[in-house]
Amino acid sequence: MNKQLIAWINENLGYSISDKYYSKIDVWLDWWRGYCKPFHRFSYSNGKKKIERDLYTLKMGKKVCEDWASILLNSKTHIKISDEQTNIFVQGRRETEGILGANSFWTKGNRLIERAFATGTGAVTIHASGIKLVGSGSDLTVDISPDAALDFNYLSADYIIPLTVDNDRITEAAFASSTTEKGKKYLLLEIHTLDGNGCYVIENRRFLAENDQLVEEALPSNMIRRFATSSPVPWFAIFMPNIDNNAEDNNGLGVSIIHGAIDALKAIDLCFNNFCSDFFLGQKKIFMEKSLVEVTEDGAEIAPDDVHQQLFTFISFPEENQSDGKKFIQEFNPALRVDDNTKGVQSALDYLSFKCGLGNKHYQFNGGTVVTATQYTGDKQDLIQNADKHYAAVEQFLLSLVRSVIHIGKNLMGADIAENAEIEIDFDRSVIIDDTAERLQDLQEVRDGVKAPWEFRVKYYGDTEEDAKKILDEVKGIESVDLGFEDGEA
């Protein structure tokens, strides 16, 4: 429905937005799903009729996006907020509660990163329910609402329409979400724009989607048509893979991780199709003299094995058939070419992982061959460098989202929280580097005097700088205590 929504926005709001880019997003989504009909569907003739079938596919487009999501946002990613009450409001005491926990952020956020790598962009929009309204008509305003709830909506690029892009940053946008009610499909369009004072205004529209047409309908009774936030803080946060977009007419959206790897995906499925086809066609084939085949009255041919026959009548063949060594029954066992096919698939996987920034040996089926830790780390240098690049984009996204939640909680819900609290994102890098080796290296740097001991505790024990220094002072104090033992006593 992107084209219909864009047409409505252009006609009713006076924009001139192109819809060309969404055709590329549709192609990326096909490869993410593992089936791109123009490539995977083909036909051939067996001499009698035309036959259609699908290529066998490994569906590696989705696998690549899943792997990037697992690396960048997982259960070991931590958001550290300096103010305790603010931290509890955002994520509870166990980091799985609060506003983030109520919206299943760690599960759905991971899926959002996957979809963002597939489509080029992902977004979280924030909705407030149960708010108090005062006034009427155009004077309608929102009062402090302690019992309000914040709900997240997770959207990929096919549901995001940038309206204004400033220095590669989307500052105004329309977001679409779909619902089904009594079998009917509806689209909700929320439009986030800035007023003359630089504060966000949110407008809602609702459409009935039928036969590729949009019919605007009245909003539900619990939804506000227009809401002025009176704040420059957005009620949305956008994530894009940290890749410069070289696709034309992108409207400010990001680019898919598989945009430059579609030929590699095709190569994988061609090799894998050949691998599977060789096994499918590689069954033993039996050729027998036609004399052994019984012909029924209606002309159907029945081979002896078709009726589980055990005893056959001996048939004398003409001398010319006996002289050249022909047998009653001959078998043919096609070559399966397992090694050749395996090498082909592995080579294609190497190209794909290289093109998607995972390094050229991320997907290895090496029969259990053991590599050294040094070799393993060296092979992952591309992955480490690209992961560091994407971590920066994820960090920016998380900081933006948490800042918006804190701002809304403070100013709309009246929560007793600190809007200026410090926020730090701690990523799990163990999936791309050897934690033990890094820990030993850091410990050696402490011994060499390159790093302070408190830095080590902050990094590996999760202490604040103040707590780390306090604990280390206590440890030094214990070491300096005279325990009163004589020499030789334990």
Side-chain angles (χ1 to χ4, degrees):
M1 284 295 172
N2 310 91
K3 294 183 178 180
Q4 290 81 359
L5 285 173
I6 291 173
W8 185 92
I9 290 172
N10 288 341
E11 182 179 348
N12 292 274
L13 304 181
Y15 287 88
S16 300
I17 301 170
S18 170
D19 61 13
K20 293 180 180 179
Y21 195 64
Y22 294 91
S23 297
K24 292 183 174 67
I25 295 173
D26 290 339
V27 173
W28 299 334
L29 281 170
D30 284 344
W31 281 100
W32 174 72
R33 295 184 182 105
Y35 183 80
C36 185
K37 189 174 181 179
F39 176 77
H40 288 102
R41 189 71 172 172
F42 70 98
S43 61
Y44 62 94
S45 174
N46 64 358
K48 296 180 181 180
K49 63 179 180 179
K50 182 179 178 181
I51 299 173
E52 288 192 346
R53 81 167 184 87
D54 294 330
L55 283 176
Y56 294 100
T57 171
L58 273 177
K59 295 180 171 58
M60 287 301 298
K62 189 174 193 308
K63 177 60 176 170
V64 166
C65 298
E66 286 178 356
D67 286 352
W68 269 119
S70 297
I71 291 169
L72 298 174
L73 191 68
N74 53 53
S75 60
K76 294 183 179 179
T77 305
H78 299 293
I79 300 173
K80 298 178 179 179
I81 303 174
S82 60
D83 181 72
E84 184 179 3
Q85 284 301 114
T86 308
N87 183 66
I88 292 172
F89 175 81
V90 173
Q91 58 184 350
R93 296 185 183 278
R94 296 185 297 174
E95 300 185 3
T96 55
E97 301 167 341
I99 301 297
L100 297 186
N103 287 280
S104 304
F105 177 76
W106 296 111
T107 299
K108 294 182 179 180
N110 176 271
R111 296 175 188 173
L112 178 69
I113 298 297
E114 179 186 335
R115 291 290 291 259
F117 268 83
T119 65
T121 310
V124 173
T125 59
I126 305 172
H127 303 156
S129 58
I131 60 178
K132 295 179 181 179
L133 301 174
V134 294
S136 60
S138 59
D139 296 327
L140 188 67
T141 58
V142 178
D143 196 6
I144 295 295
S145 310
D147 297 326
L150 299 185
D151 302 316
F152 292 174
N153 204 6
Y154 302 85
L155 305 169
S156 52
D158 44 327
Y159 287 98
I160 303 171
I161 304 170
L163 302 178
T164 301
V165 181
D166 182 10
N167 196 25
D168 293 331
R169 185 172 69 92
I170 298 173
T171 57
E172 298 179 307
F175 303 95
S177 55
S178 61
T179 60
T180 302
E181 300 174 18
K182 298 180 179 179
K184 294 183 178 180
K185 183 179 179 180
Y186 293 89
L187 285 178
L188 176 65
L189 183 68
E190 49 183 290
I191 306 164
H192 297 243
T193 56
L194 293 164
D195 62 17
N197 297 317
C199 296
Y200 278 96
V201 176
I202 303 172
E203 297 188 48
N204 295 309
R205 296 288 189 277
R206 187 170 184 256
F207 302 89
L208 174 64
E210 285 186 334
N211 302 322
D212 292 332
Q213 298 294 322
L214 297 179
V215 179
E216 188 170 3
E217 293 199 346
L219 292 171
S221 58
N222 62 345
M223 189 173 293
I224 305 173
R225 174 74 127 190
R226 185 178 186 276
F227 168 49
T229 68
S230 302
S231 169
V233 177
W235 284 43
F236 62 85
I238 291 178
F239 168 76
M240 301 178 194
N242 198 359
I243 309 170
D244 196 15
N245 192 346
N246 62 349
E248 296 179 350
D249 302 311
N250 58 57
N251 295 353
L253 293 169
V255 65
S256 169
I257 194 71
I258 60 179
H259 172 61
I262 289 179
D263 284 345
L265 288 169
K266 290 179 179 179
I268 288 172
D269 285 351
L270 285 173
C271 293
F272 186 65
N273 180 73
N274 202 66
F275 184 90
C276 295
S277 295
D278 273 5
F279 276 94
F280 181 78
L281 300 173
Q283 301 174 69
K284 182 191 296 291
K285 293 176 175 58
I286 306 296
F287 300 90
M288 61 181 64
E289 288 287 351
K290 205 164 186 179
S291 309
L292 293 177
V293 178
E294 182 180 351
V295 180
T296 63
E297 293 181 358
D298 58 0
E301 296 180 344
I302 302 177
D305 282 351
D306 287 344
V307 293
H308 302 288
Q309 189 170 337
Q310 298 293 321
L311 299 174
F312 310 106
T313 303
F314 181 80
I315 300 172
S316 295
F317 295 105
E319 290 185 3
E320 60 269 20
N321 281 359
Q322 298 178 17
S323 61
D324 61 6
K326 287 187 177 180
K327 302 176 182 178
F328 294 134
I329 299 176
Q330 298 184 58
E331 68 177 45
F332 172 63
N333 296 291
L336 297 179
R337 301 184 299 168
V338 176
D339 288 341
D340 290 339
N341 279 316
T342 300
K343 290 177 182 177
V345 173
Q346 183 62 66
S347 295
L349 287 171
D350 292 343
Y351 292 131
L352 176 70
S353 61
F354 166 73
K355 288 295 294 179
C356 292
L358 293 166
N360 64 348
K361 294 186 178 181
H362 189 72
Y363 301 110
Q364 289 293 305
F365 299 91
N366 53 19
T369 302
V370 178
V371 297
T372 66
T374 303
Q375 179 183 345
Y376 181 68
T377 302
D379 290 342
K380 299 183 78 173
Q381 283 305 306
D382 286 347
L383 170 59
I384 293 171
Q385 291 171 4
N386 286 310
D388 284 338
K389 180 176 71 173
H390 292 305
Y391 278 135
V394 177
E395 181 178 39
Q396 186 178 21
F397 162 68
L398 292 176
L399 289 174
S400 175
L401 177 62
V402 173
R403 285 291 181 203
S404 295
V405 168
I406 293 173
H407 175 80
I408 296 169
K410 178 76 172 179
N411 295 278
L412 176 72
M413 304 169 68
D416 184 18
I417 55 180
E419 196 167 352
N420 60 349
E422 294 182 4
I423 305 170
E424 181 182 348
I425 310 299
D426 185 15
F427 292 103
D428 171 32
R429 294 171 53 84
S430 64
V431 293
I432 60 171
I433 61 175
D434 184 347
D435 259 1
T436 302
E438 185 181 26
R439 191 183 185 106
L440 290 173
Q441 177 66 32
D442 287 341
L443 189 59
Q444 186 60 50
E445 290 181 1
V446 171
R447 290 169 179 161
D448 294 342
V450 178
K451 273 186 178 177
W454 66 263
E455 293 180 282
F456 186 87
R457 286 201 61 91
V458 167
K459 182 173 182 178
Y460 291 103
Y461 292 91
D463 298 338
T464 63
E465 179 180 342
E466 182 182 355
D467 289 342
K469 291 178 177 178
K470 182 179 179 181
I471 292 171
L472 289 170
D473 286 340
E474 291 176 355
V475 172
K476 289 179 181 178
I478 293 173
E479 290 176 348
S480 64
V481 170
D482 183 0
L483 298 179
F485 291 120
E486 299 291 339
D487 290 343
E489 293 182 352

